[in-house]
Amino acid sequence: MNGKLGWFARLRAGLSRTSSRISEGVGAIFTRRKLDDETLQELEELLISADLGPATAARLTANLAKTRFGKEVSPEEVRTALAEDVAEILEPVARPLDVNRGMRPHVILVVGVNGSGKTTTIGKLAKQFRDDGKSVMLAAGDTFRAAAIEQLQIWGDRVGAPVIAKAAGADAAGLAYDALAAARNQGIDVLLIDTAGRLHNKQNLMDELAKVVRVIGKQDPTAPHDTLLVLDATVGQNAHQQVETFKAMVNVTGLVMTKLDGTAKGGVVVGLADRFGLPVHAVGVGESADDLRPFDPRDFARSLMGLAQ
Amino acid sequence: MFEGLGSKLGDIFDKLRKRGALSEADVNAAMREVRIALLEADVALPVVKEFIDKVRARAVGQEVIRSVTPGQQVIKIVHDNLVEMLGSEASAINTVAVPPVPILMVGLQGSGKTTTTAKIGRMLQREQKKKVLMASLDVQRPAAQEQLRVLGEQAGVPTLPIVPGQQPVEIALRAMTAGRLNGYDVVLLDTAGRLSIDDALMAEVAAVRDAVHPVETLLVADAMTGQDAVATARNFKERIGLTGIVLTRVDGDARGGAALSMRAVTGCPIKLIGVGEKLDAIEPFHPERIAGRILGMGDVVSLVEKAKEVIDEAEAEKMARKITKGEFDLNDLLQQLRQLSKMGGLGGLMGLLPGIGKIKKQMAEAKIDDRIIKRQEAIILSMTPEERAKPAMIHASRKRRIALGSGTTVQDVNKLLKQHAEMAKMMKRVGKLGPKGLMRGGLGNLLGGLGGPGGPGGLPPGFPRG
């Protein structure tokens, strides 16, 4: 239906819904008003309301106060300044996924809480790697959720990538081991390993995930070469705990944020960048294979603030 | 990274040092912290504002119960209002209609609809002896229908046979027909995940609604949802009409502010919560639990109420005066031990606090239980009044006598004396904070002193400290 629209138009359309709420709010606060404490407090809350998180909101507001306190400021100025500050925080983390680092196969492990969009993200990544002329193999490591294996198999068929799978309930670590062996044998370029969704506060499930990493390392000590944590844009401040725990347990190397085409803004990514500095490799802005896009901090920041590009 | 609201408010009121009724300035200062706490818990901003206005109006002028700090008083007001706003009435799934009763499940992608559908199907079948049929209308996500079929097998709940190529409305009608022909009581219709702003998909689910007229339309939402909860819940309510909310992944560690946001925006009750991956992991919603969680504390209010009951105010005042002078002898320790027993002992106290599991385990490992309190009481009771007032005079032969008298060992007596010495030192510091610090500092340090390996850090952050 909206397949003709560019991804950015869609990202912006999605973002503009709530960002228009922000911008209206900012407009309302600043129309003919000096930048005072009360205004700053309201501004801070507005940033919080976009899921930026209290700490980052405080930092951004303090920054604004330093340069503009007591001055008459227009809503436009404030938004631009905020967008610049947000972009500045995001700039260092906007790094695309690089699978041309001479590994064969380049092993990518995909982790996250339930329902964040891991399998779909793998399908989209596989499509992109295939379009780049790479051979791709998928490992159906979510042996827990009903029909997760079938879901990945359908993606494999769509993009022309072999899928290594075992019966539901099989040991995920053993499956990952077998998949890596198969990928090495067949000279595959990129191996994408799916995992079951798990809440980060479930110690036994996290231990199981750590085991997957250990077992992969037995064949190739440098693998997995990338460990992606998939975050749903609707997530609130709990994303901090997710990143913290997954990073500690399986050394997450990068983030992918999904479902940015909805009403959720994923503003928490700003706080995450501030605190963890993990690269944001891609954002998902739709359900089709082409809707996984590089993360552009400037556009993201300006869209978040409801500004024209 | 989250600090419990309790300690934050404690800090504010320690500075204010006010007694009597809550002034507007007190309440305003407290409300700033409440606001941040709610925002940190992902309660949506408009809902936070509405809530704060309501609470502020109720809190101003409230009399502060003596022996409870103004901070705790405010927490109680906040907590009570939170519970009220979350909905105090239990609300079960409505299956009272001409069978087959259609129940429609809607929500964003990845919110947990399919798993929740199977959980509800199993629950209705097992607990209410309903004959349940489940059908997946998800023709979007690969293998979604297969997922429900497998879950149905696991749960022992029949699913509608999959006919490839059928569209959602057709599947829904086929499910209702099958439900009628085969005498099912309930037909659960699981839909595809959809964005609330996706017009085509929202129209599709509205068409399903018009075709089957569901008795319940449940919005399945993730407890980890941030500020978007408001937009999503409002859109679903307006476009589809909702009768209830199911909150999933409550077994995670998210503070769950989305519950309050969605309840406030839709006015729909939160009917059930998902608390695990297993198919029996679904429970009725308890507002108190979520309220405590949003505030970042356990059931502090019950604790406040208990403290109110058992602490003799005059005694507390007397002790406060002594402590401000830096005096804390074994008689005072005895009194504190007895207060602790009256509040239900360590176990009872711990049950009221957040993060109980870990502490209970620590206590078990350190073999700390209420018998220790009893034993310590016995040791003090075996001392002469002079000894209790001047612990420094207790030397070797006196220790032997006390141990014998209390049925303990000299090591136990030593331990108690050492603990008292440490507490007295702490008390001096607490004393500087004024009388209000007494109860909190006293109990906190007492527990810390007993904490063994848990040490003084054995108390969860939500517990107010002096």
Side-chain angles (χ1 to χ4, degrees):
Chain A
M1 7 160 202
N2 52 3
K4 290 260 165 58
L5 278 177
W7 73 273
F8 181 73
R10 261 183 283 164
L11 172 65
R12 192 168 139 63
L15 285 173
S16 68
R17 280 180 196 89
T18 307
S19 63
S20 67
R21 213 192 304 144
I22 298 185
S23 53
E24 278 163 26
V26 172
I29 295 170
F30 284 102
T31 310
R32 312 199 198 301
R33 272 170 70 177
K34 272 187 180 164
L35 190 57
D36 55 16
D37 278 330
E38 195 190 338
T39 319
L40 283 168
Q41 159 127 21
E42 285 170 38
L43 194 59
E44 188 175 327
E45 282 179 3
L46 279 166
L47 291 171
I48 291 169
S49 80
D51 282 325
L52 267 80
T56 314
R59 177 176 147 181
L60 288 167
T61 326
N63 214 2
L64 196 71
K66 239 186 286 169
T67 52
R68 290 179 175 75
F69 194 82
K71 289 180 189 156
E72 294 275 352
V73 271
S74 76
E76 186 77 11
E77 274 174 351
V78 176
R79 274 184 280 154
T80 306
L82 277 175
E84 277 165 13
D85 291 346
V86 167
E88 198 181 304
I89 294 172
L90 294 175
E91 206 72 59
V93 300
R95 295 208 295 274
L97 192 56
D98 178 15
V99 293
N100 299 309
R101 309 203 301 253
M103 288 13 135
R104 196 171 237 239
H106 186 99
V107 181
I108 302 173
L109 184 69
V110 181
V111 301
V113 299
N114 317 60
S116 56
K118 288 174 294 301
T119 309
T120 305
T121 299
I122 287 178
K124 291 174 179 177
L125 281 172
K127 167 83 162 51
Q128 294 185 355
F129 296 143
R130 292 288 294 137
D131 288 350
D132 285 351
K134 293 188 166 45
S135 58
V136 177
M137 181 181 276
L138 309 179
D142 183 353
T143 54
F144 180 81
R145 182 167 62 87
I149 297 167
E150 288 83 348
Q151 188 184 348
L152 195 70
Q153 253 152 359
I154 292 169
W155 273 107
D157 291 346
R158 275 186 197 168
V159 304
V163 178
I164 303 295
K166 283 187 184 173
D171 175 37
L175 177 100
Y177 187 91
D178 292 352
L180 181 49
R184 284 157 71 108
N185 270 338
Q186 298 172 32
I188 294 284
D189 295 320
V190 183
L191 171 64
L192 285 156
I193 303 174
D194 195 9
T195 62
R198 65 201 74 219
L199 291 176
H200 50 286
N201 61 338
K202 303 260 161 119
Q203 190 59 45
N204 56 334
L205 296 180
M206 293 306 282
D207 288 342
E208 188 188 286
L209 195 59
K211 184 180 162 198
V212 172
V213 174
R214 261 198 325 276
V215 167
I216 293 171
K218 282 188 182 159
Q219 283 190 62
D220 180 354
T222 64
H225 306 103
D226 282 291
T227 301
L228 305 184
L229 175 64
V230 179
L231 292 172
D232 183 326
T234 58
V235 73
Q237 297 311 303
N238 190 247
H240 283 271
Q241 275 97 309
Q242 288 180 31
V243 174
E244 192 173 20
T245 315
F246 274 103
K247 192 166 181 276
M249 291 296 291
V250 294
N251 187 30
V252 168
T253 57
L255 307 176
V256 173
M257 182 156 262
T258 61
K259 307 179 200 174
L260 265 173
D261 47 336
T263 46
K265 295 304 137 254
V268 72
V269 82
V270 182
L272 294 176
D274 196 11
R275 181 165 164 209
F276 297 99
L278 281 173
V280 180
H281 290 313
V283 293
V285 293
E287 297 202 59
S288 80
D290 299 319
D291 290 329
L292 191 71
R293 296 290 166 173
F295 177 64
D296 184 321
R298 197 172 167 276
D299 290 348
F300 181 87
R302 288 185 68 85
S303 288
L304 207 63
M305 296 299 153
L307 290 161
Q309 297 311 307
Chain B
M1 68 180 291
F2 299 116
E3 204 186 340
L5 183 60
S7 53
K8 275 192 185 171
L9 291 179
D11 291 347
I12 289 184
F13 287 108
D14 279 346
K15 278 178 222 140
L16 291 173
R17 292 202 179 222
K18 284 216 172 120
R19 282 269 178 163
L22 291 173
S23 76
E24 201 168 343
D26 297 346
V27 173
N28 282 341
M31 286 309 124
R32 269 195 290 279
E33 292 302 327
V34 173
R35 175 153 53 185
I36 296 297
L38 294 177
L39 288 170
E40 278 177 343
D42 290 324
V43 180
L45 187 67
V47 179
V48 171
K49 294 217 150 137
E50 186 193 329
F51 179 78
I52 296 282
D53 287 345
K54 209 159 93 185
V55 174
R56 179 184 284 126
R58 290 193 192 176
V60 172
Q62 278 247 354
E63 202 183 317
V64 179
I65 302 154
R66 289 167 75 87
S67 86
V68 171
T69 66
Q72 285 166 325
Q73 182 81 4
V74 171
I75 288 171
K76 183 166 158 49
I77 298 168
V78 169
H79 181 275
D80 290 353
N81 278 277
L82 209 48
V83 171
E84 188 188 309
M85 206 157 157
L86 282 165
S88 24
E89 79 286 3
S91 191
I93 302 279
N94 179 15
T95 53
V96 187
V98 180
V101 175
I103 296 178
L104 190 61
M105 312 289 292
V106 300
L108 299 176
Q109 289 99 334
S111 56
K113 283 176 301 302
T114 307
T115 306
T116 303
T117 302
K119 284 178 178 179
I120 291 178
R122 184 183 177 281
M123 184 184 73
L124 292 177
Q125 190 172 280
R126 294 216 172 187
E127 288 167 23
Q128 299 184 25
K129 309 292 173 219
K130 300 281 182 195
K131 207 177 158 198
V132 182
L133 177 69
M134 305 193 293
S136 169
L137 316 185
D138 187 350
V139 295
Q140 303 284 325
R141 187 164 57 101
Q145 298 187 53
E146 173 68 8
Q147 185 186 353
L148 187 68
R149 189 191 64 75
V150 174
L151 286 173
E153 247 169 47
Q154 288 170 8
V157 178
T159 47
L160 189 73
I162 298 166
V163 176
Q166 270 201 335
Q167 289 307 297
V169 174
E170 294 172 82
I171 302 172
L173 290 172
R174 185 160 59 89
M176 291 308 291
T177 306
R180 262 187 295 276
L181 292 177
N182 299 304
Y184 282 100
D185 299 314
V186 176
V187 174
L188 284 166
L189 300 169
D190 179 25
T191 64
R194 65 201 72 223
L195 296 168
S196 63
I197 48 168
D198 186 327
D199 285 335
L201 282 177
M202 290 302 267
E204 177 195 277
V205 77
V208 171
R209 175 201 61 199
D210 295 342
V212 302
H213 302 290
V215 170
E216 289 268 19
T217 302
L218 302 176
L219 175 68
V220 180
D222 190 325
M224 298 183 286
T225 309
Q227 299 284 322
D228 181 56
V230 163
T232 293
R234 183 183 291 134
N235 289 346
F236 271 98
K237 168 88 178 167
E238 281 170 7
R239 297 288 302 261
I240 318 293
L242 299 173
T243 58
I245 294 161
V246 181
L247 204 61
T248 60
R249 301 189 191 119
V250 178
D251 51 327
D253 59 1
R255 299 268 292 275
L260 186 67
S261 306
M262 291 189 292
R263 162 84 211 202
V265 165
T266 63
C268 292
I270 297 162
K271 299 209 163 186
L272 295 163
I273 56 171
V275 291
E277 294 186 341
K278 296 217 176 73
L279 291 173
D280 59 356
I282 190 158
E283 292 175 4
F285 172 70
H286 292 292
E288 300 82 17
R289 266 164 61 179
I290 298 287
R293 196 159 155 160
I294 290 173
L295 294 177
M297 58 182 65
D299 196 353
V300 173
V301 177
S302 315
L303 180 65
V304 173
E305 274 163 1
K306 278 228 155 127
K308 208 162 71 189
E309 286 166 22
V310 300
I311 294 171
D312 184 314
E313 285 177 28
E315 263 182 50
E317 288 288 323
K318 207 171 93 194
M319 195 187 286
R321 275 196 303 278
K322 290 181 82 172
I323 283 170
T324 37
K325 279 189 250 156
E327 296 165 11
F328 179 79
D329 64 20
L330 287 165
N331 285 311
D332 302 320
L333 180 59
L334 180 65
Q335 202 182 316
Q336 289 228 337
L337 288 171
R338 284 178 170 168
Q339 272 175 7
L340 193 60
S341 303
K342 269 199 262 180
M343 288 174 81
L346 282 174
L349 203 58
M350 288 301 166
L352 299 169
L353 295 168
I356 333 153
K358 197 176 148 200
I359 294 167
K360 274 200 171 151
K361 211 173 129 208
Q362 279 176 356
M363 282 172 59
E365 278 164 9
K367 293 199 172 61
I368 288 169
D369 57 49
D370 290 332
R371 275 175 306 174
I372 290 190
I373 298 180
K374 281 275 159 218
R375 208 177 304 149
Q376 296 197 328
E377 214 181 309
I379 293 173
I380 299 177
L381 287 173
S382 295
M383 297 174 183
T384 65
E386 296 85 56
E387 283 167 349
R388 290 182 214 178
K390 286 199 190 94
M393 72 186 285
I394 303 175
H395 292 302
S397 66
R398 287 179 187 266
K399 281 180 192 170
R400 271 199 300 279
R401 193 205 76 241
I402 293 165
L404 211 61
S406 58
T408 57
T409 63
V410 173
Q411 281 103 306
D412 288 331
V413 178
N414 279 333
K415 219 187 277 172
L416 175 92
L417 289 172
K418 190 170 166 232
Q419 200 177 300
H420 165 259
E422 275 168 17
M423 282 178 70
K425 211 164 75 188
M426 298 255 216
M427 286 295 182
K428 242 178 242 175
R429 236 177 293 154
V430 173
K432 285 177 196 144
L433 292 173
K436 281 189 289 88
L438 166 64
M439 199 219 106
R440 296 173 297 138
L443 278 180
N445 290 335
L446 177 60
L447 290 174
L450 288 171
L459 274 182
F463 192 89
R465 281 165 179 269

